[in-house]
Amino acid sequence: MDRKQLIEQIMQKQTFLCVGLDPDIKKIPQCIIDECKEELEDDEEYDDSLAIMAFNQAIIDATAPYCVAYKPNLAFYESLGSMGVAAYEETVAYLREYYPHHFIIADAKRGDIGNTSAMYARSFFEGDTQVDALTVAPYMGEDSVTPFLGYEGKWVILLALTSNKGSHDFQTSPIASEGEEKEYLFEKVLKISQQWGTKDNMMYVVGATQGRMFEDIRRLVPEHFLLVPGVGAQGGSLQEVCKYGMNKDCGLLVNSSRGIIYASSDEDFAEMAAQKAKELQEEMAIELSKICQ
């Protein structure tokens, strides 16, 4: 999906919500697990990946009208071994078949030396389970990032200023060469990485808890899309993110995971997920109306 198509989807659906598909088997409603076990044939054994796939499908079906993107986090699948990876691939295939206009982000935070990154890029951007975008760590520099940028219509989402507590250990460290004005490490990432990619194939991760730091970020990357986690369970404010981070094209994909997919642990989990997604969509429609005035 290219930039124009993404913006069209946002404006048409009046939402820039991204739903994080982070299925933790310890949090998946018991009714899903029980149902999966009941459907097994006598010679079949239960595997947690069955519950994950059933859970994902129910969440996707319930929330699709209210979002433009989904973001499966690979850790929740890879932790279950080959069957978990298969559940991830089935999730992507399900989205491709039934919701082809939704943007799919693989949250894998890859990034390694050039030839290794090229293999990572091939695994996510080629084949039957290819996605639209991949989160990438910038710490190893240009040659670890550019292999992901060689695919038309695909996006790199570079970690810039994240929402976790430890983000301040490095990302907001002041740096400067002799005679230069001090800047933060994340600002240098934003400046230099624009030499590798463009607003058409590169986004940045900026945590919703960073507040007015979005103003500084927008001065450096005024037109790039920002993937914004941290709204909801982590305490980020949607209104604050929009006030300081939204641009004329919206320029935001705001992710919510736990606040939507675990809104209920009972049989009404999908209904409650839809309700939470709808609430966010309605708030986002209000924010979008401000840039259309």
Side-chain angles (χ1 to χ4, degrees), residues 7 10-12 14-16 246-250 284-293:
I7 294 171
I10 289 171
M11 298 305 177
Q12 178 183 325
Q14 287 293 285
T15 179
F16 44 97
M246 186 175 277
N247 62 23
K248 62 180 177 60
D249 296 321
C250 177
M284 290 176 175
I286 293 172
E287 297 300 327
L288 285 169
S289 69
K290 296 175 184 178
I291 64 173
C292 296
Q293 292 175 353

Side-chain angles (χ1 to χ4, degrees), residues 36-280:
C36 288
K37 290 180 178 179
E38 289 174 2
E39 292 178 353
L40 291 174
E41 300 293 338
D42 291 338
D43 59 341
E44 293 179 319
E45 291 187 6
Y46 169 77
D47 185 275
D48 285 336
S49 63
L50 298 173
I52 283 178
M53 191 57 217
F55 178 71
N56 280 357
Q57 287 184 358
I59 292 293
I60 291 167
D61 290 343
T63 59
Y66 312 112
C67 69
V68 291
Y70 287 99
K71 182 176 71 66
N73 186 314
L74 269 291
F76 289 88
Y77 303 87
E78 293 173 340
S79 64
L80 296 177
S82 60
M83 294 296 287
V85 173
Y88 160 75
E89 293 176 345
E90 288 179 32
T91 297
V92 173
Y94 186 78
L95 285 167
R96 285 286 176 219
E97 181 174 359
Y98 296 102
Y99 302 97
H101 299 299
H102 281 68
F103 194 75
I104 306 175
I105 302 167
D107 191 356
K109 300 177 180 69
R110 297 298 195 252
D112 206 327
I113 59 173
N115 61 338
T116 307
S117 282
M119 294 300 103
Y120 280 137
R122 182 182 298 177
S123 66
F124 287 100
F125 291 156
E126 296 181 17
D128 295 334
T129 56
Q130 59 182 279
V131 297
D132 296 294
L134 176 70
T135 56
V136 175
Y139 192 77
M140 293 182 68
E142 179 182 10
D143 60 316
S144 71
V145 176
T146 51
F148 299 101
L149 293 167
Y151 291 81
E152 186 175 353
K154 304 299 183 182
W155 298 74
V156 164
I157 307 181
L158 214 61
L159 301 179
L161 185 58
T162 56
S163 57
N164 61 301
K165 180 181 177 182
S167 64
H168 297 290
D169 290 342
F170 300 114
Q171 295 168 25
T172 55
S173 296
I175 57 173
S177 300
E178 186 175 350
E180 291 183 347
E181 184 180 349
K182 283 187 178 181
E183 62 181 349
Y184 293 126
L185 180 57
F186 82 87
E187 292 178 314
K188 189 163 188 176
V189 169
L190 292 172
K191 289 178 181 178
I192 292 179
S193 62
Q194 289 180 76
Q195 301 171 21
W196 314 335
T198 70
K199 66 179 183 179
D200 296 314
N201 64 1
M202 183 177 285
M203 302 184 189
Y204 296 97
V205 175
V206 181
T209 56
Q210 299 300 340
R212 294 197 64 166
M213 295 289 278
F214 277 85
E215 283 188 308
D216 299 324
I217 290 165
R218 276 301 183 208
R219 280 195 285 269
L220 295 172
V221 287
E223 297 185 88
H224 287 69
F225 263 87
L226 307 178
L227 174 63
V228 185
V231 166
Q234 295 183 52
S237 165
L238 176 64
Q239 287 70 32
E240 191 172 58
V241 167
C242 293
K243 180 178 181 179
Y244 300 116
M246 186 175 277
N247 62 23
K248 62 180 177 60
D249 296 321
C250 177
L252 299 171
L253 288 175
V254 171
N255 182 79
S256 179
S257 300
R258 287 171 285 172
I260 291 177
I261 67 175
Y262 301 128
S264 172
S265 59
D266 297 322
E267 292 185 359
D268 66 346
F269 74 94
E271 179 183 341
M272 291 302 296
Q275 181 177 318
K276 293 297 182 182
K278 186 174 187 292
E279 289 172 3
L280 277 172

